[in-house]
Amino acid sequence: ILNVEQSPQSLHVQEGDSTNFTCSFPSSNFYALHWYRWETAKSPEALFVMTLNGDEKKKGRISATLNTKEGYSYLYIKGSQPEDSATYLCAFKGNQGGKLIFGQGTELSVKP
Amino acid sequence: SAVISQKPSRDICQRGTSLTIQCQVDSQVTMMFWYRQQPGQSLTLIATANQGSEATYESGFVIDKFPISRPNLTFSTLTVSNMSPEDSSIYLCSVGIGLGGDTQYFGPGTRLTVL
């Protein structure tokens, strides 16, 4: 059974704080690591697809890093805003065409 | 990219009844999936909806409980049959685009509560 773990489970920060979450996944048979942002009553939105060890991707104030040898990825949000409040999901893929295995998500709440 | 709609967006159903969820995509796609997220759990793949053939179910999910139709490349339905409170979940359809379906887009989900 492949396990994808995310921590923390939930996070409450003030507007302007920077924050980060962790996704850990199997370090063998790695193909890709996906990050999604899921706001209530909306579709999960793809943030990043990461495939190479040492990858670092950025989208506005959000960035992510990838370490496939030790099996973890970090998602960073710089200067959190209330509109960043959402659940952030990571998903591991072990081979091309294989299924996505999701973590339980980190629920972020940003207070004005 | 792909724009996906689902109907209904939410429903409250009685134990023992069935609910059919519809998923419509704005373009033809080969790979379409159904997921569920039970309260406090991860998003879990139920099955891959195959056009023109029977769906491919993941371990722990069976056709009698979750029959799936895929009549064409833009539409699919998932039925949750003989519901029990344990079926209360968010059900999402998803499409895979690109090489190996590597980029997945999701619908907004159907929030189901079974009393």
Side-chain angles (χ1 to χ4, degrees):
Chain A
I1 297 177
L2 299 174
N3 270 337
V4 178
E5 303 283 343
Q6 290 187 248
S7 63
Q9 197 170 355
S10 64
L11 198 52
H12 300 266
V13 302
Q14 289 295 132
E15 181 175 355
D17 288 349
S18 292
T19 187
N20 65 84
F21 334 127
T22 305
C23 172
S24 60
F25 52 85
S27 55
S28 58
N29 293 329
F30 176 87
Y31 179 75
L33 193 283
H34 295 232
W35 280 100
Y36 288 87
R37 180 172 173 275
W38 192 6
E39 287 183 73
T40 303
K42 294 188 178 179
S43 306
E45 172 199 356
L47 290 174
F48 305 113
V49 179
M50 310 181 79
T51 57
L52 298 175
N53 183 44
D55 244 359
E56 183 168 342
K57 297 209 170 182
K58 191 172 179 183
K59 187 176 183 177
R61 294 179 291 99
I62 304 176
S63 61
T65 61
L66 179 68
N67 183 323
T68 60
K69 294 182 189 245
E70 295 181 36
Y72 64 83
S73 175
Y74 293 135
L75 188 81
Y76 300 92
I77 302 178
K78 187 177 176 182
S80 303
Q81 301 295 308
E83 57 265 30
D84 296 328
S85 297
T87 296
Y88 292 82
L89 299 170
C90 70
F92 166 83
K93 197 168 194 179
N95 55 76
Q96 186 181 68
K99 66 178 183 179
L100 288 175
I101 299 170
F102 283 85
Q104 289 183 303
T106 293
E107 187 176 354
L108 173 67
S109 173
V110 183
K111 294 183 181 176
Chain B
S1 67
V3 177
I4 304 168
S5 59
Q6 283 184 236
K7 288 197 289 190
S9 59
R10 59 176 61 231
D11 208 340
I12 300 173
C13 300
Q14 295 297 320
R15 180 196 296 260
T17 62
S18 298
L19 176 73
T20 295
I21 302 167
Q22 298 179 6
C23 177
Q24 180 75 53
V25 189
D26 68 342
S27 57
Q28 293 188 336
V29 293
T30 303
M31 304 181 79
M32 189 177 277
F33 310 96
W34 286 98
Y35 288 82
R36 79 170 178 192
Q37 186 186 44
Q38 294 176 299
Q41 304 295 313
S42 309
L43 262 179
T44 301
L45 181 64
I46 297 171
T48 301
N50 302 308
Q51 196 265 331
S53 64
E54 197 170 279
T56 306
Y57 289 85
E58 296 298 311
S59 176
F61 297 96
V62 294
I63 188 170
D64 289 347
K65 176 67 177 175
F66 297 102
I68 288 171
S69 80
R70 180 89 194 270
N72 56 54
L73 292 176
T74 63
F75 186 79
S76 178
T77 67
L78 169 77
T79 298
V80 186
S81 303
N82 188 24
M83 288 184 283
S84 66
E86 293 71 38
D87 295 318
S88 298
S89 298
I90 301 174
Y91 292 85
L92 295 103
C93 74
S94 166
V95 301
I97 292 176
L99 193 61
D102 279 353
T103 303
Q104 284 199 19
Y105 296 90
F106 286 85
T110 295
R111 187 178 294 269
L112 171 63
T113 302
V114 184
L115 302 177

Coordinates of all heavy atoms in Angstrom, one line a residue, chain A residues 42-89:
Chain A
K42 N -15.7 24.5 -5.0 CA -15.0 24.7 -6.3 C -14.2 23.5 -6.7 O -14.1 22.5 -5.9 CB -14.1 25.9 -6.3 CG -14.8 27.2 -6.1 CD -13.8 28.4 -6.2 CE -14.5 29.7 -6.0 NZ -13.6 30.8 -6.1
S43 N -13.8 23.4 -8.0 CA -13.0 22.3 -8.5 C -11.6 22.4 -7.9 O -11.0 23.5 -7.8 CB -12.9 22.3 -10.0 OG -14.1 22.4 -10.6
P44 N -11.0 21.3 -7.6 CA -9.5 21.3 -7.2 C -8.8 21.9 -8.4 O -9.0 21.5 -9.6 CB -9.2 19.8 -7.0 CG -10.4 19.2 -6.6 CD -11.5 19.9 -7.4
E45 N -7.9 22.8 -8.1 CA -7.1 23.5 -9.2 C -5.7 23.1 -9.2 O -5.0 23.1 -8.1 CB -7.2 25.0 -8.9 CG -6.3 25.9 -9.8 CD -6.0 27.3 -9.2 OE1 -6.6 27.6 -8.2 OE2 -5.2 28.0 -9.8
A46 N -5.2 22.6 -10.3 CA -3.8 22.2 -10.4 C -2.8 23.3 -10.2 O -2.9 24.4 -10.9 CB -3.5 21.5 -11.8
L47 N -1.9 23.2 -9.3 CA -0.9 24.2 -9.0 C 0.4 23.8 -9.8 O 1.0 24.6 -10.5 CB -0.6 24.3 -7.5 CG -1.7 25.0 -6.7 CD1 -1.3 24.9 -5.2 CD2 -1.9 26.4 -7.1
F48 N 0.9 22.6 -9.5 CA 2.2 22.2 -10.0 C 2.2 20.7 -10.3 O 1.6 19.9 -9.6 CB 3.4 22.5 -9.0 CG 3.5 23.9 -8.5 CD1 3.2 24.2 -7.2 CD2 3.8 24.9 -9.4 CE1 3.3 25.5 -6.7 CE2 3.9 26.2 -8.9 CZ 3.7 26.5 -7.5
V49 N 3.0 20.4 -11.4 CA 3.3 19.0 -11.6 C 4.8 18.9 -11.6 O 5.5 19.6 -12.4 CB 2.8 18.4 -13.0 CG1 3.2 17.0 -13.2 CG2 1.3 18.6 -13.0
M50 N 5.4 18.1 -10.7 CA 6.9 18.1 -10.5 C 7.4 16.7 -10.8 O 6.8 15.7 -10.3 CB 7.2 18.5 -9.1 CG 6.5 19.9 -8.7 SD 6.9 20.4 -7.1 CE 8.5 21.2 -7.4
T51 N 8.4 16.7 -11.6 CA 8.9 15.4 -12.0 C 10.4 15.1 -11.7 O 10.8 14.0 -11.6 CB 8.7 15.2 -13.5 OG1 9.3 16.2 -14.2 CG2 7.2 15.2 -13.9
L52 N 11.2 16.2 -11.6 CA 12.6 16.0 -11.5 C 13.1 16.3 -10.1 O 12.7 17.3 -9.4 CB 13.4 16.9 -12.4 CG 13.1 16.6 -13.9 CD1 13.8 17.7 -14.8 CD2 13.6 15.2 -14.3
N53 N 14.0 15.4 -9.5 CA 14.6 15.7 -8.2 C 15.3 17.0 -8.2 O 16.0 17.4 -9.1 CB 15.6 14.6 -7.9 CG 16.2 14.7 -6.5 OD1 15.4 15.0 -5.6 ND2 17.5 14.6 -6.4
G54 N 15.0 17.8 -7.2 CA 15.6 19.2 -7.1 C 14.7 20.2 -7.8 O 15.1 21.4 -7.7
D55 N 13.6 19.8 -8.5 CA 12.7 20.8 -9.1 C 12.3 21.8 -8.1 O 12.0 21.5 -6.9 CB 11.5 20.0 -9.6 CG 11.3 20.0 -11.1 OD1 12.2 20.6 -11.8 OD2 10.4 19.4 -11.6
E56 N 12.2 23.1 -8.6 CA 11.5 24.1 -7.8 C 10.6 24.9 -8.8 O 11.1 25.3 -9.8 CB 12.6 25.1 -7.2 CG 11.9 26.1 -6.3 CD 12.9 26.9 -5.5 OE1 14.1 26.4 -5.3 OE2 12.6 28.0 -5.0
K57 N 9.4 25.0 -8.4 CA 8.4 25.7 -9.3 C 7.8 26.8 -8.5 O 7.6 26.7 -7.3 CB 7.4 24.7 -9.8 CG 8.0 23.6 -10.7 CD 7.0 23.1 -11.7 CE 7.7 22.2 -12.7 NZ 6.9 21.7 -13.8
K58 N 7.3 27.8 -9.3 CA 6.8 29.0 -8.7 C 5.6 29.5 -9.5 O 5.6 29.5 -10.7 CB 7.9 30.1 -8.6 CG 7.5 31.3 -7.7 CD 8.6 32.2 -7.5 CE 8.2 33.4 -6.7 NZ 9.3 34.4 -6.5
K59 N 4.6 29.9 -8.7 CA 3.4 30.5 -9.4 C 2.9 31.7 -8.5 O 2.3 31.4 -7.4 CB 2.3 29.5 -9.5 CG 1.1 29.8 -10.3 CD 0.1 28.6 -10.4 CE -1.1 28.9 -11.2 NZ -1.9 27.7 -11.4
G60 N 3.3 32.9 -8.8 CA 3.0 34.0 -8.0 C 3.7 33.9 -6.6 O 4.9 33.8 -6.5
R61 N 2.9 33.9 -5.5 CA 3.5 33.8 -4.2 C 3.7 32.4 -3.7 O 4.1 32.2 -2.6 CB 2.6 34.6 -3.2 CG 2.5 36.1 -3.5 CD 1.6 36.8 -2.5 NE 0.2 36.5 -2.8 CZ -0.5 35.6 -2.1 NH1 0.0 34.9 -1.1 NH2 -1.8 35.4 -2.4
I62 N 3.3 31.4 -4.5 CA 3.3 30.0 -4.2 C 4.5 29.4 -4.9 O 4.7 29.6 -6.1 CB 2.0 29.3 -4.5 CG1 0.8 30.0 -3.9 CG2 2.1 27.8 -4.0 CD1 -0.5 29.4 -4.3
S63 N 5.3 28.6 -4.1 CA 6.3 27.8 -4.8 C 6.4 26.5 -4.1 O 5.8 26.2 -3.1 CB 7.7 28.6 -4.6 OG 8.0 28.7 -3.2
A64 N 7.1 25.5 -4.8 CA 7.2 24.2 -4.4 C 8.5 23.6 -4.7 O 9.1 24.0 -5.7 CB 6.1 23.3 -5.0
T65 N 9.0 22.7 -3.8 CA 10.3 22.0 -4.1 C 10.1 20.5 -4.0 O 9.1 20.1 -3.5 CB 11.4 22.4 -3.0 OG1 10.9 22.0 -1.7 CG2 11.6 23.9 -3.1
L66 N 11.0 19.8 -4.6 CA 10.8 18.3 -4.7 C 12.1 17.6 -4.4 O 13.2 18.0 -5.0 CB 10.4 18.0 -6.1 CG 10.2 16.5 -6.4 CD1 9.0 16.0 -5.6 CD2 10.0 16.2 -7.9
N67 N 12.1 16.6 -3.5 CA 13.2 15.8 -3.3 C 12.7 14.3 -3.4 O 12.0 13.8 -2.6 CB 13.7 16.0 -1.8 CG 15.0 15.2 -1.5 OD1 15.1 14.0 -1.9 ND2 15.9 15.7 -0.8
T68 N 13.0 13.7 -4.6 CA 12.5 12.4 -4.9 C 13.3 11.3 -4.1 O 12.8 10.2 -3.9 CB 12.5 12.1 -6.4 OG1 13.9 12.2 -6.8 CG2 11.7 13.1 -7.1
K69 N 14.6 11.6 -3.8 CA 15.5 10.6 -3.2 C 15.0 10.3 -1.8 O 15.1 9.2 -1.3 CB 16.9 11.1 -3.2 CG 17.5 11.2 -4.6 CD 18.9 11.6 -4.6 CE 19.3 11.8 -6.1 NZ 20.2 11.0 -6.6
E70 N 14.6 11.4 -1.1 CA 14.1 11.2 0.3 C 12.6 11.2 0.4 O 12.0 11.0 1.4 CB 14.7 12.3 1.2 CG 16.2 12.1 1.3 CD 16.8 13.2 2.2 OE1 16.2 13.5 3.2 OE2 17.9 13.7 1.9
G71 N 11.9 11.5 -0.7 CA 10.4 11.3 -0.8 C 9.7 12.4 -0.1 O 8.8 12.2 0.8
Y72 N 10.0 13.7 -0.4 CA 9.2 14.8 0.2 C 9.1 16.0 -0.8 O 10.0 16.2 -1.6 CB 9.7 15.2 1.6 CG 11.0 15.8 1.6 CD1 11.2 17.2 1.3 CD2 12.1 15.1 2.0 CE1 12.5 17.8 1.4 CE2 13.4 15.6 2.0 CZ 13.6 17.0 1.7 OH 14.8 17.5 1.8
S73 N 8.1 16.8 -0.6 CA 7.9 18.0 -1.3 C 7.4 19.0 -0.4 O 6.6 18.7 0.5 CB 6.9 17.8 -2.5 OG 6.7 19.1 -3.1
Y74 N 7.9 20.3 -0.5 CA 7.4 21.4 0.3 C 6.6 22.4 -0.6 O 7.0 22.6 -1.7 CB 8.5 22.2 1.0 CG 9.3 21.4 2.0 CD1 10.7 21.4 2.0 CD2 8.7 20.6 3.0 CE1 11.4 20.8 3.0 CE2 9.4 20.0 3.9 CZ 10.8 20.0 3.9 OH 11.5 19.3 4.9
L75 N 5.5 22.9 0.0 CA 4.8 24.0 -0.7 C 4.9 25.2 0.2 O 4.6 25.1 1.4 CB 3.3 23.6 -0.9 CG 2.5 24.6 -1.7 CD1 2.8 24.3 -3.2 CD2 1.0 24.5 -1.4
Y76 N 5.3 26.3 -0.4 CA 5.5 27.5 0.4 C 4.5 28.6 -0.1 O 4.3 28.7 -1.3 CB 6.9 28.1 0.2 CG 8.1 27.2 0.6 CD1 8.6 26.3 -0.3 CD2 8.6 27.2 1.9 CE1 9.7 25.5 0.0 CE2 9.6 26.4 2.2 CZ 10.2 25.6 1.3 OH 11.2 24.7 1.7
I77 N 4.0 29.4 0.8 CA 3.2 30.5 0.4 C 3.8 31.7 1.1 O 3.9 31.7 2.3 CB 1.7 30.4 0.8 CG1 1.1 29.1 0.1 CG2 0.9 31.6 0.4 CD1 -0.4 28.8 0.5
K78 N 4.2 32.7 0.3 CA 4.8 33.9 0.9 C 3.7 35.0 1.0 O 2.9 35.2 0.1 CB 5.9 34.4 -0.1 CG 6.7 35.5 0.3 CD 7.8 35.8 -0.7 CE 8.6 37.1 -0.3 NZ 9.6 37.4 -1.3
G79 N 3.7 35.6 2.2 CA 2.8 36.7 2.4 C 1.3 36.2 2.2 O 0.6 36.8 1.4
S80 N 0.9 35.3 3.0 CA -0.5 34.7 2.9 C -1.6 35.8 2.8 O -1.5 36.7 3.6 CB -0.7 33.7 4.0 OG 0.2 32.7 4.1
Q81 N -2.5 35.6 2.0 CA -3.7 36.4 1.9 C -5.0 35.6 2.2 O -5.0 34.4 2.0 CB -3.8 37.0 0.5 CG -2.6 37.8 0.1 CD -2.5 39.1 0.9 OE1 -3.4 39.8 1.1 NE2 -1.3 39.3 1.5
P82 N -6.1 36.3 2.6 CA -7.3 35.5 2.9 C -7.7 34.6 1.8 O -8.3 33.5 2.0 CB -8.3 36.6 3.2 CG -7.5 37.7 3.8 CD -6.2 37.7 3.0
E83 N -7.5 35.1 0.5 CA -7.9 34.3 -0.6 C -7.1 33.0 -0.8 O -7.4 32.2 -1.7 CB -7.9 35.1 -1.9 CG -6.6 35.8 -2.2 CD -6.5 37.2 -1.7 OE1 -7.1 37.5 -0.7 OE2 -5.8 38.0 -2.4
D84 N -6.0 32.9 -0.1 CA -5.2 31.7 -0.1 C -5.9 30.6 0.7 O -5.4 29.4 0.7 CB -3.8 31.9 0.4 CG -3.0 32.8 -0.5 OD1 -3.2 32.9 -1.7 OD2 -2.2 33.6 0.1
S85 N -6.9 30.9 1.5 CA -7.6 29.9 2.3 C -8.2 28.8 1.5 O -9.0 29.1 0.6 CB -8.7 30.6 3.2 OG -8.1 31.5 4.0
A86 N -7.7 27.6 1.7 CA -8.2 26.5 0.9 C -7.5 25.2 1.5 O -6.7 25.3 2.4 CB -7.7 26.6 -0.6
T87 N -7.9 24.1 0.9 CA -7.2 22.8 1.2 C -6.2 22.6 0.1 O -6.5 22.6 -1.1 CB -8.1 21.7 1.3 OG1 -9.0 21.9 2.4 CG2 -7.4 20.4 1.6
Y88 N -4.9 22.3 0.5 CA -3.8 22.0 -0.4 C -3.6 20.5 -0.4 O -3.2 19.9 0.6 CB -2.6 22.9 -0.1 CG -2.9 24.3 -0.3 CD1 -3.5 25.1 0.6 CD2 -2.5 25.0 -1.5 CE1 -3.8 26.4 0.4 CE2 -2.7 26.3 -1.7 CZ -3.4 27.0 -0.8 OH -3.7 28.4 -1.0
L89 N -3.7 19.9 -1.6 CA -3.5 18.5 -1.8 C -2.3 18.2 -2.6 O -2.0 18.9 -3.5 CB -4.7 17.9 -2.5 CG -6.1 18.1 -2.0 CD1 -7.2 17.6 -3.0 CD2 -6.3 17.2 -0.7

